[in-house]
Amino acid sequence: HNLQVCVPSLPSQIFHVLRRQMLRPYRKPLIILTPKSLLRHKAAVSPLADLASGEFRNVIGEVKALDAGKVERVVLCSGKVYYDLAKARDDAKADNVAIVRLEQLYPFPQEQLAQELKRFPKVTSLCWAQEEPRNQGAWFWIQHLLRDCLQSGQTLAVSSRPSSASPAAGYLDVHQAQQRALVEEALR
């Protein structure tokens, strides 16, 4: 626990993680992973009240008012991919899928995630969704920690771009097709 790795998806989360860093009586290196495109994303907004009060949340649970008893699948993610997943789920009217964001990857918020997953008693499958290729990103670093949060009878899958030596496809059309495919796979 000698450093922190955070992937904030909201302006208020960025504010509170930086504020937390300065107010702590001790210093640890803080690594913040966030793309520039999230700064201009129309859905990535926070009300002023979230900046004035509150704190950094390591896990952001489902924000949509879903019937927890009808949820059959939970998609776990971090960062900008959340907005693609939420839009695709809303477009498909898939009210049986919950999306949970991990805003801190290290130290891993295992207790908070396990508590959030207990909200959905009928979930049989969980999926980690990431934009990065399968051999990159957070998957290989946290998959064993995600498995530790599973309850009896639950399975864990991953939805990502195919493994690659390069972090990007190099062609916009290929990139967009891969993004659509990983979002569709995560919500299935």
Side-chain angles (χ1 to χ4, degrees), residues 18-84:
L18 293 173
R19 184 173 187 272
R20 178 181 77 173
Q21 179 75 359
M22 295 311 300
L23 292 178
R24 282 187 168 163
Y26 53 87
R27 294 288 182 256
K28 289 183 183 182
L30 171 63
I31 300 166
I32 298 176
L33 305 169
T34 186
K36 291 183 294 186
S37 62
L38 202 53
L39 293 171
R40 57 185 180 273
H41 198 289
K42 292 180 181 177
V45 295
S46 297
L48 288 176
D50 286 355
L51 294 168
S53 61
E55 61 186 7
F56 182 75
R57 296 177 288 166
N58 295 330
V59 176
I60 298 178
E62 176 57 58
V63 295
K64 191 175 177 184
L66 297 177
D67 181 357
K70 292 182 180 176
V71 173
E72 299 169 355
R73 183 172 179 89
V74 173
V75 178
L76 305 165
C77 65
S78 63
K80 185 176 74 95
V81 72
Y82 165 76
Y83 297 102
D84 294 337

Side-chain angles (χ1 to χ4, degrees), residues 1-2 14 48 63 69 73 85 102 106 121 149:
H1 297 273
N2 58 345
I14 294 171
L48 288 176
V63 295
R73 183 172 179 89
L85 292 165
L102 293 179
Y106 188 85
C149 294

Side-chain angles (χ1 to χ4, degrees), residues 116-163:
E116 180 62 29
L117 295 178
K118 286 180 184 175
R119 285 184 45 208
F120 309 105
K122 294 187 177 177
V123 167
T124 56
S125 67
L126 288 91
C127 179
W128 171 258
Q130 68 178 27
E131 290 186 278
E132 299 84 8
R134 188 160 305 197
N135 61 330
Q136 300 173 31
W139 171 246
F140 278 116
W141 298 101
I142 66 168
Q143 63 179 308
H144 65 287
L145 298 166
L146 294 173
R147 284 192 175 92
D148 289 344
C149 294
L150 297 180
Q151 296 175 17
S152 177
Q154 292 180 332
T155 60
L156 176 66
V158 62
S159 177
S160 66
R161 288 181 159 72
S163 294

